[in-house]
Amino acid sequence: MGASHAKSEKAEEDDTQGKPPTNLVDIPYRQKLLVVAGLTVTLFVATMNQTVVATAAQNIVADIGGFDRFVWLFAGFSLAATASVPIVGKLSDIAGRKLVLIGSVIFFMATSAAAGFSTDMTQLIVARVLQGAAFAGVMGSVWIIMAALWAPSERAKWMGVATAGFTLSGVMGPIFGGIVSDTFSWRWVFFINIPTGAFSLLLLWIWFPNVDRDKRKGRLDLMGAVLFVGAATALLLALTWGGRDYAWDSPRILGLIVGSLVAFLVFARVELKADDPMLPLNLFTHRIFAFGWLASLMTTSTFIAITVFQPLFVQGVMGKSATSASIPLIALAIGVAIGANIAGQILSRRGYARELGISGLSIATVCLVFVSTLDSASSIWSLFIATGFIGFGMSFGFTSFTVPVQNAMPTSVLGVVTSTLQFGRLFGQAAGSAVFGAVLFASVAVSFVGLNEDSPQVRIADPGIIVAVDELTEVRSEYLRDPALGEQRYESDLATSRNNLSDGLSTVFLFAAAFSMSGVVLAWFTFSGGTSTATVRRERGTANTMD
């Protein structure tokens, strides 16, 4: 392997000596490694902020309130990122990869500062929405560049490394958020992005090459972007409010759903007629891409259930601290790191995309069902082991639905394919946050029925209270001051509240298991023609009708 790399490096250096490269795949091997290092650092810094507020949530809510809008810290971030990814892909084609990536990192640093200085939940949600748009610029650019650096025969193992870094950073977000918010302040989970972002900017400026390429003329499909944002926003609002703030058959929810469907239909019509569409819909006429995109959406929704709602289980049901909530996520990080690299090596050398996807997601499904059976008396180490296997299985799915799909399509649309896959994953995160949040709040809402508004029993029934240590202490004092309640009633009501939250989270994990199982089915149909067949199709250019 080392000898072949040396030969490859020498050949590339000889070919490019004396003239700038016209394609990223043509730059010397050693420089590719430096670019990968810079991209990995940048991706790690940005992706960690998808889930960084998960374990910091109790401190955020205790400081600025707003538990009823807590889910929008995730859903708003994901929605903005989802809507922005196709736009970022188009800007990257027009203005160049390096310019868009560096500009996105700078914007990400600015929005992180705004989040850190927020004084109420509304300000923080707005900052998170803007941060989501900046994140889309960073992530979309990194994945496009990472794929463009390598020939299809080498792409799988390096995308496996990138997938490990991407998923690990998502897992490290809650770990970092818990430790920092417990030790310093929740505001520092955002402020830390300023020096780390500056470091990644330095690496990119030094190592990323200036590729001599022809400027592509084009313009942004603004009508398509506006229609998609409106359709996606309406759908996510319906999923978030339905069954919690409004009945599912209420005029508001039905209006949002109908409006979303109409907007999506108009969006599809506009995109089909556009000369340079934001989202080329003819991509979905290819089986491998269409099923792979759908599988990516479903499996990413599953992953968000673990990274966002499992810390809530550890804190609210088990009664542990935010730092303790990071323990199972460490296992998730280990499982992802091992699984992504194994999957990348297998895909690069042997293929077996279908087998990897089915086996990995089957493991994740079984473990999610097991997690749904845990309660307040369960050991955190049982959760640790199960979560490690979930990470291992999910990483197989992520890798299987990335590289083989890229290799099945012509190189001329690699950027569009990559950004559209990322769009699907981000939409899965936004939809997953909204759906699982609606399921959770519908499950715990019954605990408020029939209680006196002035009683501390109302507060102890609120999930926002039982995950906030300081406020829970105040509630306990109120119980002790009331002769009709006392310590024994406090312990009984707290146990009931934890059980209600446990039941709601169990339902969330079962929904996640169903999503994961759908990925198993889709893996079977996505790669029914075999990975090698897909590669041959790509190399022969039979899909060039999309150019």
Side-chain angles (χ1 to χ4, degrees), residues 29 84 202-203 244 246 270 327 435 461 517 536:
Y29 182 80
S84 301
L202 179 63
L203 295 181
R244 179 167 65 96
Y246 306 96
V270 168
I327 292 176
V435 169
M517 190 63 202
V536 169

Side-chain angles (χ1 to χ4, degrees), residues 136-201:
V138 175
M139 187 200 66
S141 297
V142 167
W143 283 105
I144 293 171
I145 294 166
M146 190 73 77
L149 278 172
W150 306 100
S153 60
E154 294 185 285
R155 190 175 291 150
K157 59 186 177 183
W158 290 105
M159 293 298 281
V161 172
T163 299
F166 170 76
T167 315
L168 280 171
S169 57
V171 172
M172 290 298 294
I175 297 173
F176 176 79
I179 294 173
V180 171
S181 62
D182 277 354
T183 306
F184 301 104
S185 165
W186 64 266
R187 299 182 186 278
W188 278 100
V189 304
F190 300 111
F191 287 149
I192 196 66
N193 293 328
I194 298 173
T196 54
F199 177 67
S200 68
L201 273 179

Side-chain angles (χ1 to χ4, degrees), residues 14 28 39 52 54 70 79 118 133 136 213 215 244 315 350 384 394 481 547:
D14 290 342
L39 292 174
V52 72
F70 158 74
L79 173 61
S118 298
R213 63 179 184 87
K215 294 281 186 180
R244 179 167 65 96
Q315 293 173 257
R350 301 290 183 182
F384 180 91
M394 292 299 297
R481 289 195 298 266
D547 291 354

Side-chain angles (χ1 to χ4, degrees), residues 379-414:
S379 168
I380 196 172
W381 298 110
S382 297
L383 191 60
F384 180 91
I385 295 171
T387 306
F389 278 105
I390 291 173
F392 182 84
M394 292 299 297
S395 65
F396 272 38
F398 288 150
T399 307
S400 297
F401 292 119
T402 301
V403 178
V405 175
Q406 291 173 328
N407 289 352
M409 310 305 288
T411 305
S412 59
V413 292
L414 179 62

Side-chain angles (χ1 to χ4, degrees), residues 307-346:
T307 55
V308 173
F309 291 94
Q310 193 182 80
L312 183 60
F313 178 86
V314 175
Q315 293 173 257
V317 176
M318 293 184 167
K320 307 293 185 181
S321 68
T323 302
S324 297
S326 68
I327 292 176
L329 295 177
I330 294 173
L332 186 66
I334 294 172
V336 165
I338 296 173
N341 282 284
I342 291 176
Q345 292 294 330
I346 293 174

